[in-house]
Amino acid sequence: YEAKAIIAVKLFESIFVDVDVYIHKLEGAFFMWLWIPNLSITSEQLYNNLKAEDVYIVPGHDFFIGIDDEWNHKHQCIRINYAKEEKILKKGLEVICNNIKSSEK
């Protein structure tokens, strides 16, 4: 886990340099959470945009069960699996970054 996590964070930091996106502390498994506070679309809409480019994430709203749907934070988070090869992860993060840039408020 640790080696993959280090690579994932390093890639995140190099790709999302000028983008208002935050990474939650990695706490095991092969998933990283990103918070995109200025996203002008929901994480579900971002999911659909990314899926059209063969990049798959999990929209955050599915993980906020029982919390008011009006709370913006639940629509501004995405979960990414970073267990892939570095080259594939890098490409996916670049596509995510480009989509976020075009969807920021």
Side-chain angles (χ1 to χ4, degrees), residues 1 6 11 18 26 40 46 55 63 68 80 82 87 89 98 105:
Y1 291 116
I6 290 168
L11 287 172
D18 296 325
L26 302 183
S40 64
L46 180 61
V55 174
F63 296 90
D68 185 5
I80 300 168
Y82 62 86
K87 177 180 163 183
L89 178 59
N98 289 334
K105 294 178 184 173

Side-chain angles (χ1 to χ4, degrees), residues 1 4 8 16 23 31 39-40 54 57-58 62 76 83 91 93 102 105:
Y1 291 116
K4 292 274 188 184
F16 290 86
I23 187 171
F31 298 104
L39 192 63
S40 64
D54 276 340
I57 54 105
V58 180
D62 291 331
Q76 299 167 337
K91 181 182 177 208
L93 288 174
S102 66
K105 294 178 184 173

Side-chain angles (χ1 to χ4, degrees), residues 33-85:
W33 281 92
L34 301 183
W35 174 40
I36 313 137
N38 293 314
L39 192 63
S40 64
I41 59 176
T42 65
S43 59
E44 186 168 14
Q45 290 167 318
L46 180 61
Y47 162 79
N48 286 318
N49 295 349
L50 293 168
K51 184 172 83 168
E53 296 189 56
D54 276 340
V55 174
Y56 295 89
I57 54 105
V58 180
H61 72 274
D62 291 331
F63 296 90
F64 293 91
I65 298 166
I67 295 177
D68 185 5
D69 199 50
E70 298 301 316
W71 186 45
N72 288 334
H73 185 79
K74 74 186 271 182
H75 299 289
Q76 299 167 337
C77 293
I78 61 173
R79 188 175 89 162
I80 300 168
N81 181 311
Y82 62 86
K84 301 287 184 185
E85 295 175 22

